Amino acid sequence: MDTRFDPFLWETKLYTKWEQSGLFRAPLTGKPYTILMPPPNANASLHAGHGMYTVDDIMIRYKRIKGFSALWIPGMDHAGLETQFVYEKHLAKEGKSRMDFDRKTLYNNIATFVRENSGLIYDQFRRLGFMADWNRSVFTLDPHVLTRVFETFKKMEQEGLVYRDNYMVNYCTHCGTSLAELEVQHETRIDPLYYIRYPLRKASPLQDKTGYIVVATVRPEPIFVDTHVAVNPKDKKNKHLIGTIVLNPLTDTPMEIIGDSYVDPDFGTGVVKLTPAHDQNDFTVAKKLGLPIVRAITLQGRIDQNGGAYAGMTVKKARAAVVEELKRKDLIEKIDTNYEHAVTVCYKCKRDLEPMIIPNWYIKVESLKKSAIVAIQKDAVQFHPKKYKRHILQWLRAMHDWPISRQNAWGIRIPVWYSVDDNPHMHVVFLDSKGNSVQGEIHTLLKKHSFDTIETGLQRVSPPNDATYVVSHNKPEGTQYLQETDTFDTWFSSGQWPLVTLREDEYQTRFPTDMMGTLADILNFWVSRMIMFSLYLQHTVPFKHVYLWSMVADSKGQKMSKSKGNVLNPIQLVDQYGADAFRASLIFGLSQGGKVILADEKVRAMRNFANKVWNIGRFILLQKSHSVPLSGTPRDKQSEKIIKKMNTEYEALEKKYEKNMEAFKLSPAFNGVYDFLWHRFADVYIEQLKKAVLAGDEEARLALEKTYMAAARLLHPFMPFVTDAVYESYYGVDTSIISSNQT
RNA sequence: GGUCGCUUAGCUCAGUUGGUUAGAGCAUCCCGUUGACAUCGGGAAGGUCGGUGGUUCAAGUCCACCAGCGACCACCA
């Protein structure tokens, strides 16, 4: 044995040995223990957050050593929105965009892109020593997954849980897609607040005062479609205005002032313009009162044909132009340039979102979430740390119907088909044979273009809200059908992850699975959906325990982010200090809230510990050659006493360790072993027995070896390489701590 | 604005049901190297446990209020 533990000498060698001796597959005997790996994005490369998958590996190794048939199934996610976003950035570099391709070509190109860029993360997981059954990897676009997703959708559709409806969604005009509530980010910003004069109609009895009323808004650009203005009926200052007619400052169209309680009397002037097609609140009010809902902005983020002179302008340009016009007409009372408000931005591209009305597919969640809530309340799923039980319950109770459609090509296309005969007014966008974008209603388009041309070049279908459709995995026979171009939300497929990863027969023995370890960020996105789907389809929860960690931070507790420049590359740390050191540093000092501190000095400290473990082993082994034949007991009573005390202390350690591990308190479990090995075993017991051992007392040495190896078994899940390297040095190249309980 | 959480050594955090001199890692300082390990060993310094008040024989631990920080959710015309 060398004087130092050299990770690079051992890591590849040991990993290959583990893999070749079949240790990654679940043993045929033993009680099942199952973990499904949260599938990383297929084209991802390892970041600090993935390092925490170590938690899964720790539990798998821990259970394996204890003789369980522990199985860890890996997988990869197609990650619809995220992957397409990355791909489109590549396209942009070549001066192209997704609009240059028909849907099918775009999909195939992304598929190729993903294939070329996937697999890297598995190599990196191997570097970390992960003991997953790589041969069983599942991809969320595998055929059997598609089948399962289709069947789930069909079942839900048949049971009336699916509906299609016009809905106000947060729409990102850049990404060309709607976003779910959770994908929306709020950002505080300072924007000008315009106080705009709305002239009173001549006949108005109020005219003799000022001749106008003032409305405050940050969004003057869609005013031309506005038809109503509102005040709060309880607002003493303004309620007398109800029923008054003012003129639209851009179009001179008469507008009625209505009363509704949602208006905040204290905001601005207490008078609000209503733009139902582009504002969530206004939309709600308009629906309630039956007011007209007129769109002013296209899905591309430009003013549409209703905008007259502004038609075709981007929102930003139109805003400036509208303000100019209003200034010319002397209709701007004042501009508050220091108005702070929150805007919604796209979680991917950070651009402003437009509230838009588009038909979307929805899942009714009322019954689904109810059973999830009951299961969680009964602790059928337990959360670690416990606080997340409250979090998820709170979120589930507030959960609205789930919009599952995304205007995204990369994903599982919704298995719905629209007959062109039955839906003549369906709006269609496609590329003709020359690559020109053509759009219009299908019955008009079919007069000039063949169905095949349209289907081949298809980019998007936008069927009216009342369109008829057929649910089918494959294209229906008979008449001409176009398939829905929307794809399922990523969480619709990954929410069924626990239902597509096991083999049919394993649902008897391995379901519910034992643990799900994942980032707390996606507790609501993902964990809640898995629980709902599993209860709906399998009538049981998908896992018994959920282990959550939150963001990875640097040594000062600052969240790691590219803009802060404090991001550490895990693989670089592994190269520098070894996988054991990296793994242990994530667990050591893991705070209760789950915040993970990753810092160079921490990894270095753990590298030192790995070396210490190695050298303890080296010392005990080295003394073996000095030994004399066994006598049965240590030579002196003093040594016997020390050994007894050491064993008692070890037993206490093991007991505490077990308790912590079963409660997923990994940090205290690891800390206990760290403390024992370094500051009790090495600093105290070895020192006390050193004289005897050096004098050739083999009994004393054996006692040390026994306790050391026992502690190494406790340490192995956290630091698999150094512990197995020592084990192999002692007992030969064919041995491993993992299977040591079987010998 | 709502909900929850946090505040203990220079930094990041432990402190189990209230019970002797409040701990760890890193950082700092001093001493030590011929046999396991300098990626080490021995030692030291450093905390009125956010503030105020209360319960108690006893409070870092329980309660109230205050201050600061954070997370999530919601709203913002």
Side-chain angles (χ1 to χ4, degrees):
Chain A
M1 284 174 88
D2 297 329
T3 59
R4 290 176 190 179
F5 173 63
D6 182 354
F8 313 102
L9 229 61
W10 286 96
E11 284 179 2
T12 317
K13 199 166 87 182
L14 286 171
Y15 197 86
T16 310
K17 181 179 87 177
W18 294 334
E19 191 156 32
Q20 282 174 355
S21 52
L23 284 174
F24 294 176
R25 292 193 302 271
L28 298 173
T29 58
K31 207 174 149 208
Y33 187 88
T34 314
I35 296 178
L36 308 175
M37 180 186 287
N41 296 355
N43 63 323
S45 72
L46 194 75
H47 58 67
H50 291 122
M52 280 303 282
Y53 280 42
T54 299
V55 168
D56 288 11
D57 194 53
I58 288 168
M59 291 312 292
I60 288 290
R61 286 177 183 271
Y62 166 67
K63 290 290 176 180
R64 191 65 77 75
I65 288 173
K66 296 196 74 171
F68 282 72
S69 175
L71 171 66
W72 189 15
I73 306 179
M76 293 199 264
D77 189 25
H78 67 279
L81 267 177
E82 184 131 1
T83 304
Q84 184 164 333
F85 185 77
V86 171
Y87 179 74
E88 285 188 32
K89 276 209 287 205
H90 277 252
L91 277 184
K93 277 186 197 152
E94 298 165 21
K96 291 180 183 164
S97 92
R98 68 165 188 278
M99 303 314 288
D100 301 330
F101 302 94
D102 66 77
R103 200 188 178 291
K104 208 179 249 173
T105 307
L106 182 63
Y107 181 95
N108 290 337
N109 289 351
I110 299 175
T112 308
F113 174 79
V114 168
R115 213 174 305 123
E116 283 168 358
N117 289 283
S118 70
L120 174 65
I121 196 156
Y122 276 5
D123 293 338
Q124 293 171 320
F125 281 165
R126 286 159 187 263
R127 285 292 313 276
L128 298 185
F130 289 178
M131 215 172 76
D133 192 347
W134 303 111
N135 293 326
R136 292 195 57 177
S137 176
V138 177
F139 181 46
T140 50
L141 296 180
D142 282 347
H144 78 279
V145 179
L146 301 186
T147 305
R148 160 62 85 175
V149 168
F150 166 70
E151 279 169 3
T152 302
F153 180 75
K154 193 173 164 191
K155 178 176 155 77
M156 290 183 142
E157 206 269 338
Q158 283 168 350
E159 294 175 9
L161 293 178
V162 173
Y163 65 93
R164 193 162 177 274
D165 193 17
N166 255 341
Y167 210 78
M168 174 70 63
V169 294
N170 287 299
Y171 192 86
C172 178
T173 54
H174 176 260
C175 296
T177 188
S178 56
L179 288 106
E181 284 169 60
L182 284 166
E183 293 166 332
V184 170
Q185 283 183 3
H186 299 266
E187 206 173 76
T188 307
R189 212 167 55 197
I190 292 176
D191 276 318
L193 179 65
Y194 303 97
Y195 286 75
I196 298 169
R197 293 170 178 161
Y198 281 53
L200 293 163
R201 196 166 64 174
K202 289 211 172 72
S204 169
L206 293 162
Q207 196 193 3
D208 50 341
K209 279 189 177 172
T210 54
Y212 53 82
I213 57 145
V214 179
V215 173
T217 180
V218 291
R219 295 211 64 172
E221 68 277 4
I223 283 180
F224 55 84
V225 294
D226 292 355
T227 54
H228 291 79
V229 173
V231 298
N232 194 314
K234 286 183 185 154
D235 180 3
K236 284 178 190 145
K237 166 178 83 195
N238 289 313
K239 64 178 179 190
H240 67 280
L241 293 171
I242 295 172
T244 307
I245 306 293
V246 294
L247 299 178
N248 187 307
L250 290 179
T251 63
D252 290 340
T253 310
M255 302 169 72
E256 185 186 352
I257 297 179
I258 57 163
D260 194 273
S261 57
Y262 98 97
V263 178
D264 176 0
D266 296 328
F267 179 85
T269 55
V271 190
V272 178
K273 73 188 184 73
L274 290 180
T275 312
H278 299 287
D279 180 272
Q280 183 71 58
N281 280 326
D282 298 0
F283 178 73
T284 313
V285 173
K287 272 212 139 173
K288 194 168 71 185
L289 303 178
L291 307 178
I293 297 168
V294 188
R295 173 183 280 185
I297 299 164
T298 67
L299 295 184
Q300 284 76 38
R302 292 172 182 274
I303 303 298
D304 76 0
Q305 70 275 5
N306 297 322
Y310 303 106
M313 284 188 191
T314 62
V315 165
K316 216 172 152 189
K317 276 190 182 152
R319 184 172 305 177
V322 165
V323 170
E324 268 314 303
E325 179 179 342
L326 291 172
K327 274 184 182 164
R328 260 199 327 273
K329 291 185 172 170
D330 192 28
L331 291 177
I332 294 200
E333 174 101 358
K334 63 172 176 176
I335 301 174
D336 177 358
T337 52
N338 204 25
Y339 172 61
E340 188 181 283
H341 68 142
V343 289
T344 54
V345 298
C346 175
Y347 83 114
K348 273 322 296 180
C349 74
K350 310 291 179 201
R351 287 176 172 82
D352 284 19
L353 295 172
E354 286 292 345
M356 291 270 191
I357 289 172
I358 38 176
N360 260 258
W361 291 92
Y362 279 85
I363 298 289
K364 286 184 193 165
V365 294
E366 204 49 47
S367 60
L368 300 174
K369 75 178 194 181
K370 201 173 276 170
S371 48
I373 288 169
V374 171
I376 293 168
Q377 277 170 338
K378 283 195 308 203
D379 289 327
V381 181
Q382 289 179 43
F383 293 85
H384 311 274
K386 275 188 200 140
K387 65 170 178 181
Y388 289 111
K389 176 180 174 179
R390 277 199 313 275
H391 278 214
I392 196 167
L393 281 174
Q394 190 187 335
W395 185 80
L396 277 170
R397 289 195 187 105
M399 186 184 189
H400 303 314
D401 278 1
W402 175 19
I404 53 163
S405 45
R406 290 297 122 95
Q407 289 73 52
N408 208 47
W410 180 240
I412 302 175
R413 202 164 166 180
I414 293 177
V416 157
W417 301 77
Y418 303 101
S419 153
V420 298
D421 297 339
D422 298 345
N423 301 292
H425 298 297
M426 174 162 63
H427 188 263
V428 170
V429 187
F430 74 102
L431 297 179
D432 68 14
S433 52
K434 289 174 193 153
N436 298 318
S437 178
V438 181
Q439 59 174 304
E441 294 190 355
I442 188 70
H443 72 279
T444 328
L445 296 174
L446 280 171
K447 286 173 191 157
K448 274 175 103 178
H449 306 269
S450 76
F451 177 81
D452 285 348
T453 311
I454 293 172
E455 195 184 28
T456 308
L458 191 65
Q459 287 189 317
R460 230 184 111 58
V461 297
S462 305
N465 209 8
D466 57 357
T468 59
Y469 58 86
V470 179
V471 176
S472 170
H473 205 170
N474 303 306
K475 189 173 181 172
E477 297 291 324
T479 102
Q480 290 169 326
Y481 286 95
L482 287 176
Q483 188 177 357
E484 172 64 78
T485 44
D486 282 1
T487 48
F488 284 115
D489 176 15
T490 289
W491 307 110
F492 189 83
S493 48
S494 60
Q496 298 177 63
W497 187 241
L499 307 167
V500 295
T501 29
L502 291 173
R503 292 196 193 105
E504 223 24 71
D505 57 305
E506 287 172 330
Y507 282 94
Q508 303 294 322
T509 53
R510 294 189 181 273
F511 204 81
T513 61
D514 291 276
M515 186 194 101
M516 170 59 62
T518 193
L519 260 168
D521 294 24
I522 52 175
L523 174 71
N524 299 338
F525 280 105
W526 191 43
V527 176
S528 66
R529 268 74 185 254
M530 284 192 285
I531 295 172
M532 290 194 302
F533 273 122
S534 180
L535 285 166
Y536 177 60
L537 297 167
Q538 285 281 345
H539 309 291
T540 173
V541 292
F543 27 70
K544 298 169 199 156
H545 298 275
V546 178
Y547 182 100
L548 295 150
W549 60 87
S550 65
M551 58 150 183
V552 178
D554 67 10
S555 61
K556 288 177 183 141
Q558 297 261 315
K559 187 172 183 167
M560 282 194 185
S561 70
K562 279 181 194 159
S563 55
K564 280 187 199 141
N566 62 349
V567 175
L568 288 178
N569 179 346
I571 293 301
Q572 216 173 312
L573 289 168
V574 172
D575 283 341
Q576 208 172 343
Y577 300 114
D580 287 337
F582 175 75
R583 293 166 60 112
S585 79
L586 292 176
I587 302 301
F588 191 82
L590 190 66
S591 65
Q592 200 193 15
K595 185 156 83 171
V596 182
I597 305 287
L598 181 60
D600 196 78
E601 54 266 36
K602 235 173 109 185
V603 186
R604 217 179 315 136
M606 290 304 117
R607 185 270 318 263
N608 296 352
F609 177 54
N611 195 56
K612 186 74 188 181
V613 170
W614 171 263
N615 270 295
I616 296 169
R618 178 161 175 262
F619 172 74
I620 300 172
L621 186 63
L622 276 179
Q623 304 319 317
K624 203 170 185 175
S625 51
H626 300 257
S627 66
V628 293
L630 297 181
S631 59
T633 52
R635 289 184 200 160
D636 62 273
K637 286 223 169 94
Q638 187 59 30
S639 298
E640 209 177 332
K641 251 169 95 179
I642 295 165
I643 290 166
K644 215 168 173 182
K645 196 168 164 228
M646 173 178 79
N647 288 338
T648 312
E649 193 169 333
Y650 172 78
E651 276 159 31
L653 166 77
E654 191 180 302
K655 224 169 155 182
K656 218 166 118 191
Y657 172 89
E658 292 287 333
K659 211 174 141 191
N660 280 324
M661 290 299 277
E662 294 300 331
F664 298 96
K665 290 182 176 166
L666 303 188
S667 189
F670 172 67
N671 223 339
V673 183
Y674 173 97
D675 245 16
F676 176 79
L677 269 173
W678 200 326
H679 300 301
R680 299 300 301 165
F681 187 75
D683 289 355
V684 176
Y685 294 114
I686 288 186
E687 291 304 322
Q688 287 179 352
L689 292 172
K690 203 171 206 171
K691 230 174 167 180
V693 170
L694 286 172
D697 187 340
E698 177 65 4
E699 291 300 336
R701 198 203 62 82
L702 262 177
L704 285 175
E705 179 176 328
K706 204 180 133 220
T707 304
Y708 172 66
M709 281 304 167
R713 276 172 50 134
L714 306 186
L715 183 61
H716 177 83
F718 300 90
M719 302 183 112
F721 290 107
V722 68
T723 46
D724 228 29
V726 171
Y727 199 86
E728 187 183 298
S729 302
Y730 270 73
Y731 308 116
V733 288
D734 300 332
T735 63
S736 167
I737 283 192
I738 305 165
S739 45
S740 60
N741 67 316
Q742 289 149 21
T743 51

